[in-house]
């Protein structure tokens, strides 16, 4: 009886389709195990349901013959490491929802770390670029994840100067002018990034670096300002900007001032999400729109 069923089944599925079915099943199992393990430290019932829904929503590509290197690297990393991303599952889900809608996209990330393979994998088919302040760390990560695209970013600011920088930028007319960051006269604009960064219209920008937890650290003042400027300076469309660690003073004040409360979509934990529209597509658009009314 078992042999007869096997013969009939082989007639239904050709060897090629059978291999394809088995491969897709194994692929989804690996993705599910990877995602679940990477969030194990902060899992709860709601999070598990979200992750399961995400895996179920993914469709196997029509070819489905080979796992891309970025995804296989991420699977191996998260399956064999106890180190989890710095953001919580709920915080990551904010960016993930946008990536599901926009990917493949151009995704710029200020910061390079253990969550980088995850971001590159979630933006599969798109371009994900990481900016890092520590050249030695870039070399270390490249040895482990050679498919990640990263560049060195230098900063000339200090957290201890943040109050002065904020006050002067609020008063300076040039800091509300929408231009290419390389041409900006605002002292917060990052002008020394690799040219590749300025030549791309970024669909998403994540600000999770540089270091900003002590007075002598460079802080994220310029990164936040430049992210907003890049979004406004695109020819059309909009850029989703995410700022992490908004429980800290610099990230809180600078995101609200230069990404604007009126452009804020949501806040989840320590992560804020802003949607910055092109100011070139609509001449005369104010640097910041009126604040959104708050509900009692």
């Amino acid at each position: 009886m078992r042999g007869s069923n096997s013969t009939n089944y082989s007639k239904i599925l050709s060897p090629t389709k059978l291999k394809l079915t088995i491969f897709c099943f194994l692929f989804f199992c690996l993705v599910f195990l990877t995602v679940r393990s990477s969030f194990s430290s902060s899992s709860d019932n709601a999070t598990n349901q979200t992750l399961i829904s995400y895996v179920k929503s993914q469709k196997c590509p029509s070819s489905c013959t080979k796992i891309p290197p970025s995804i296989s690297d991420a699977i191996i990393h998260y399956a064999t490491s106890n180190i989890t991303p710095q953001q919580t599952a709920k915080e990551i889900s904010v960016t993930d929802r946008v990536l599901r809608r926009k990917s493949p996209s151009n995704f710029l990330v200020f910061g390079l770390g253990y969550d980088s393979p995850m971001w590159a994998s979630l933006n599969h088919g798109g371009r994900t670029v990481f900016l890092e302040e520590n050249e030695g760390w870039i070399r270390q990560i490249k040895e482990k994840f050679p498919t990640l695209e990263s560049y060195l970013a230098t900063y000339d600011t200090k957290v201890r100067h943040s109050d002065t920088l904020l006050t002067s930028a609020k008063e300076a007319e040039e800091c509300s002018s929408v231009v290419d960051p390389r041409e900006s006269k605002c002292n917060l604009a990052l002008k020394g990034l690799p040219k590749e960064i300025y030549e791309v219209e970024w669909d998403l920008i994540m600000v999770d670096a540089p270091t900003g937890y002590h007075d002598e650290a460079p802080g994220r003042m310029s990164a936040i300002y430049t992210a907003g400027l890049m979004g406004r300076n695109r020819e059309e469309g909009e850029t989703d900007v995410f700022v992490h660690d908004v429980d800290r003073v610099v990230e809180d004040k600078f995101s609200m001032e230069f990404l604007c409360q009126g452009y804020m979509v949501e806040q989840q934990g320590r992560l804020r999400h802003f949607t910055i529209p092109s100011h070139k597509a609509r001449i005369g658009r104010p640097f910041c729109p009126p604040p959104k009314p708050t509900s009692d």
Side-chain angles (χ1 to χ4, degrees):
M1 192 71 176
R2 188 174 296 178
S4 176
N5 288 340
S6 176
T7 301
N8 292 336
Y9 187 70
S10 64
K11 292 179 180 179
I12 297 173
L13 285 179
S14 66
T16 300
K17 289 184 178 180
L18 182 59
K19 290 179 181 178
L20 181 61
T21 301
I22 294 173
F23 183 87
C24 290
F25 174 78
L26 292 175
F27 175 76
F28 285 128
C29 288
L30 284 171
V31 172
F32 176 76
L33 290 173
T34 300
V35 175
R36 187 176 68 175
S37 65
S38 66
F39 293 107
S40 59
S41 62
S42 59
S43 63
D44 51 33
N45 290 335
T47 302
N48 287 338
Q49 289 303 316
T50 300
L51 296 176
I52 292 170
S53 298
Y54 171 74
V55 173
K56 288 182 177 179
S57 70
Q58 305 306 298
K59 294 183 178 180
C60 184
S62 57
S63 57
C64 200
T65 58
K66 187 176 181 181
I67 298 177
S70 62
I71 294 180
S72 61
D73 285 348
I75 289 174
I76 294 170
H77 170 67
Y78 293 117
T80 59
S81 174
N82 291 325
I83 301 173
T84 56
Q86 293 182 343
Q87 296 184 27
T88 66
K90 289 183 178 180
E91 290 169 349
I92 290 172
S93 69
V94 175
T95 309
D96 177 51
R97 285 196 298 271
V98 178
L99 282 169
R100 291 196 210 182
R101 176 168 49 89
K102 285 191 168 184
S103 65
S105 61
N106 293 319
F107 187 12
L108 178 64
V109 183
F110 284 85
L112 180 67
Y114 294 111
D115 55 355
S116 298
M118 175 190 66
W119 295 130
S121 297
L122 291 176
N123 188 34
H124 174 56
R127 184 182 184 188
T128 307
V129 177
F130 302 92
L131 296 175
E132 171 58 38
E133 65 196 279
N134 188 318
E135 193 168 7
W137 182 242
I138 292 177
R139 289 195 298 269
Q140 184 176 336
I141 292 296
K142 277 190 173 182
E143 288 179 3
K144 191 169 185 179
F145 306 108
T147 61
L148 295 181
E149 183 179 359
S150 58
Y151 299 95
L152 180 67
T154 57
Y155 303 88
D156 57 5
T157 54
K158 301 286 186 185
V159 170
R160 58 186 169 89
H161 298 147
S162 60
D163 287 340
T164 302
L165 287 169
L166 181 61
T167 300
S168 61
K170 289 168 66 174
E171 297 173 351
E173 185 176 345
E174 55 266 27
C175 289
S176 59
S177 298
V178 177
V179 295
D180 185 307
R182 292 171 291 185
E183 301 172 1
S184 175
K185 295 181 180 179
C186 180
N187 58 0
L188 285 175
L190 289 172
K191 305 177 181 68
L193 299 176
K195 65 177 183 178
E196 292 88 350
I197 304 303
Y198 302 105
E199 295 172 353
V200 175
E201 288 194 345
W202 299 101
D203 303 303
L204 297 86
I205 301 178
M206 172 73 71
V207 181
D208 206 0
T211 308
Y213 60 86
H214 60 87
D215 284 348
E216 294 304 311
R220 300 176 186 173
M221 299 81 72
S222 292
I224 292 171
Y225 175 82
T226 303
L229 191 56
M230 287 177 170
R232 292 178 175 90
N233 193 53
R234 62 184 297 150
E235 290 298 328
E236 58 183 9
E238 60 188 24
T239 299
D240 289 278
V241 180
F242 309 87
V243 179
H244 195 224
D245 297 318
V246 295
D247 55 321
R248 301 193 304 216
V249 174
V250 167
E251 285 80 355
D252 175 33
K253 289 186 176 180
F254 277 76
S255 66
M256 284 303 196
E257 183 66 34
F258 299 111
L259 301 179
C260 308
Q261 181 183 352
Y263 288 146
M264 189 170 83
V265 178
E266 65 175 308
Q267 178 173 337
Q268 180 63 254
R270 297 175 297 149
L271 185 87
R272 279 185 190 149
H273 173 203
F274 301 83
T275 299
I276 312 296
S278 165
H279 282 219
K280 285 187 173 181
R282 177 181 163 187
I283 304 300
R285 190 191 294 266
F287 190 81
C288 279
K292 296 178 181 178
T294 57
S295 57
D296 295 333

